Amino acid sequence: MAASVTPIIYGSLGANGWYVTNITINWVIEPLPYEQSVGCDARTIATDTTDTAITCEVWWPDQTHIAVTKHFKRDATPPTVNPVPGRPPDANGWYNRALTVTFSGTDATSQIASCTQATYAGPDSPNTSVSGSCSDKAGNQTAASYALKYDATPPTVTSFRVAPGNRKAKLDWNVKDASSIQFVRTPGLKAAAQSVVFSGQGSTKGFTDRKLHPGRQYQYSLKATDVAANQSAKALAFLARGALLFPAPSAQVTKAPLLVWAPKRGATYYNVILTRGRRVLSAWPVQARLQVPRAWKYRGHRYKLRPGTYSWFVWPGYGSLSAGRYGKMLGGSTFKFGGSG
């Protein structure tokens, strides 16, 4: 029988020749008996190693000599994994657009073979995560995750309205999921091209912009921002008015208009003059409004609304109508009825 020295190995083999558990090596020596052996006792490798050599050497009485050496690599320790986000949070700890997370690993023995990469792009959540892993060359794998807050949805502007007043504008709005509100006016304050005229919390309701110039066109741009810095914008144009509120200056109307102006404190009545080239109507309403009729009689002449441009003027009256005590004219404006005049 030919002499032989054969290793019997116990352990779990991973990838690339690496063992990922303890390794126990026994030796089978044939034939028996033999004269002498060195290093042939059972041995267990219980620590990670990049190269441990084990040799069993045997001599027989007939002078036969065999030495067998086996090399072992053991890595039973999974790699350490660190998630690396592609950028810091966009605002206040929140991400508002797709985020790529790269997973980086270290391994002291077999070294890193590969790591994964993951991208998160929704759904919105205040508590979510991105998962990934790294594998070493022995086949050990470690999973990790990166916790994040994600919101890519801008606030919703459900309504936005500008109501005219006497040299002022009242802004009303309704916005969902906004942390702050800002209004930019064009033209701005003190001859500036643009100015921020209001900044407030998202829950703020209503703002009145004052000291406007009657007849000037303004634009209000609403910017709603949420905690993740998502923004929604909406703009409205507005023609500033003085004490005469409706119709707007030079407005085109297709039916007999209701004239409305700002009340004057202390006034007991008003005098309203309507002209179309010449005076065609004078009235004394006690409220700050006058419904223009489709047809009327003034100073013995009959009139009716015809296509053209009309001008109207309002004065406040004090005391009794017969006293004829008037204050300074509140203002004048125009409207166009039907076609152009």
Side-chain angles (χ1 to χ4, degrees):
M1 180 179 184
S4 63
V5 176
T6 305
I8 305 298
I9 303 167
Y10 300 93
S12 296
L13 193 61
N16 303 305
W18 288 85
Y19 284 87
V20 293
T21 62
N22 289 347
I23 312 165
T24 298
I25 305 98
N26 290 324
W27 298 93
V28 175
I29 302 172
E30 293 179 329
L32 298 175
Y34 53 87
E35 188 173 85
Q36 181 182 358
S37 68
V38 175
C40 299
D41 294 336
R43 181 173 172 182
T44 297
I45 301 174
T47 58
D48 291 348
T49 176
T50 59
D51 185 11
T52 295
I54 303 232
T55 299
C56 174
E57 193 170 6
V58 182
W59 290 266
W60 281 266
D62 64 358
Q63 304 302 309
T64 299
H65 169 247
I66 297 177
V68 176
T69 300
K70 296 291 289 184
H71 292 267
F72 296 93
K73 300 185 295 183
R74 178 193 187 273
D75 185 356
T77 305
T80 300
V81 180
N82 180 42
V84 181
R87 67 181 190 279
D90 297 303
N92 304 307
W94 289 79
Y95 290 93
N96 59 25
R97 53 191 172 87
L99 171 69
T100 297
V101 179
T102 300
F103 291 85
S104 174
T106 57
D107 188 85
T109 308
S110 64
Q111 306 301 308
I112 292 295
S114 64
C115 290
T116 64
Q117 188 180 77
T119 298
Y120 191 89
D124 294 349
S125 173
N127 183 21
T128 188
S129 63
V130 177
S131 297
S133 64
C134 288
S135 299
D136 62 22
K137 292 179 181 178
N140 300 299
Q141 186 181 78
T142 300
S145 63
Y146 178 73
L148 61 101
K149 298 187 290 185
Y150 191 86
D151 181 0
T153 304
T156 302
V157 181
T158 57
S159 66
F160 178 28
R161 187 175 69 93
V162 180
N166 184 7
R167 300 175 182 269
K168 62 185 179 181
K170 183 179 180 182
L171 281 63
D172 290 308
W173 63 90
N174 192 352
V175 178
K176 293 182 179 179
D177 303 323
S179 59
S180 65
I181 296 290
Q182 184 182 83
F183 282 94
V184 176
R185 193 187 78 192
T186 306
L189 303 171
K190 298 180 180 179
Q194 291 184 330
S195 294
V196 175
V197 293
F198 175 81
S199 293
Q201 296 182 345
S203 58
T204 307
K205 300 295 183 182
F207 161 70
T208 299
D209 191 17
R210 305 180 186 276
K211 297 183 179 180
L212 303 181
H213 296 278
R216 180 174 294 179
Q217 187 83 12
Y218 293 91
Q219 177 175 288
Y220 290 96
S221 298
L222 180 157
K223 183 169 69 176
T225 306
D226 65 17
V227 69
N230 298 297
Q231 292 185 344
S232 292
K234 194 167 185 178
L236 282 179
F238 167 79
L239 185 65
R241 308 175 191 183
L244 277 55
L245 303 178
F246 296 101
S250 301
Q252 184 83 33
V253 298
T254 57
K255 62 181 181 180
L258 175 66
L259 308 181
V260 181
W261 56 93
K264 182 68 174 178
R265 180 179 296 181
T268 54
Y269 62 93
Y270 301 89
N271 180 218
V272 181
I273 302 295
L274 183 67
T275 69
R276 186 176 184 276
R278 61 176 180 171
R279 183 182 301 189
V280 294
L281 175 65
S282 185
W284 290 265
V286 296
Q287 293 184 329
R289 61 183 59 207
L290 174 68
Q291 176 64 61
V292 177
R294 291 279 302 187
W296 65 92
K297 188 175 182 181
Y298 176 67
R299 289 187 175 179
H301 296 279
R302 295 185 180 277
Y303 297 92
K304 66 177 181 179
L305 280 176
R306 299 181 183 276
T309 299
Y310 291 80
S311 298
W312 59 292
F313 309 88
V314 180
W315 288 263
Y318 301 94
S320 64
L321 180 62
S322 59
R325 188 161 62 92
Y326 295 97
K328 184 179 179 180
M329 184 176 69
L330 296 181
S333 188
T334 63
F335 64 86
K336 297 178 181 179
F337 177 75
S340 61

